[in-house]
Amino acid sequence: MEALLQVRDLDKHFGGLRACDRATFDVEQGKIAGMIGPNGAGKTTAFNCVAGFLKPDGGEVFFAGEDVTGLPPHRMFDKGLVRTFQIPQELDTMTVLENLMLAGERQSGEAVWRNWLVPWKVREEEQRLEARAHEVLEQTQLGHQAYLRAGALSGGQRKLLELARALMAEPRMILLDEPGAGVNPALVRRLAQHIRELSERLGLSFLIIEHNLDFVRQLCDPVIVMAQGQVLDVGSADDVLSNPEVQAAYLSGQRTT
Ligand SMILES: Nc1ncnc2c1ncn2[C@@H]1O[C@H](COP(=O)(O)OP(=O)(O)O)[C@@H](O)[C@H]1O
Ligand SMILES: [Mg+2]
């Protein structure tokens, strides 16, 4: 069976710099794939090209068998591929529930106009969003925090809310860019548990960039290693980390950053 996400010869250049240089990888349905590599390897650039935040200069992206190369983020969101973002400060004064409803709403672009013209549709849409938000609260065990302001959440709950906002799309695949950054080890473990549970219960697929190799070892298979814009190796965490080429890429990466 073909993979849910297929990235083929992805190129992205910034001036003369080849941030992605024919990067090629797959993520299969239901897998929690990791992406690692030294700083500047092109991981975030590859993510943004896949999720529609950057237009690739070359190559192809297929999602669920469909060519989605260069589609904008809201189209990718509708197709079930979303990336998470840190919750902007402006949303701190809104409740967890409102944060979720807003995340679900923002994407349904044309619907806004239709709703504006047909007032009863507004109520209907709000009810739909609220029902979905309550489902997501349950899935992420944030139900008790529904009416708490986002700014009052603990660090770990805030990370969960980021994930919950992505879940509003009823996604098939979620991309996470360094979810463990700045989070203490106990919370990182809990976050890993949540991700695994969501994957098992909902059949969700993940692609996760992470520097914390314990997290990657615990959670991710396969692990995709990027270096200098290319995919250097793919395999289990233990396999790729024992590859001398991967070790060398990390060492040379450290020297330059
Ligand atoms: N918007 C941008 N403009 C110019 N250069 C960029 C931009 N984004 C990333 N780069 C460069 O592309 C390379 C890859 O960056 P990035 O994808 O962020 O790597 P990683 O996430 O693996 O650390 C780096 O050299 C970085 O400086
Ligand atoms: Mg990055």
Side-chain angles (χ1 to χ4, degrees), residues 43-44 177-178 209:
K43 304 181 297 294
T44 298
D177 194 351
E178 301 192 29
I209 297 176

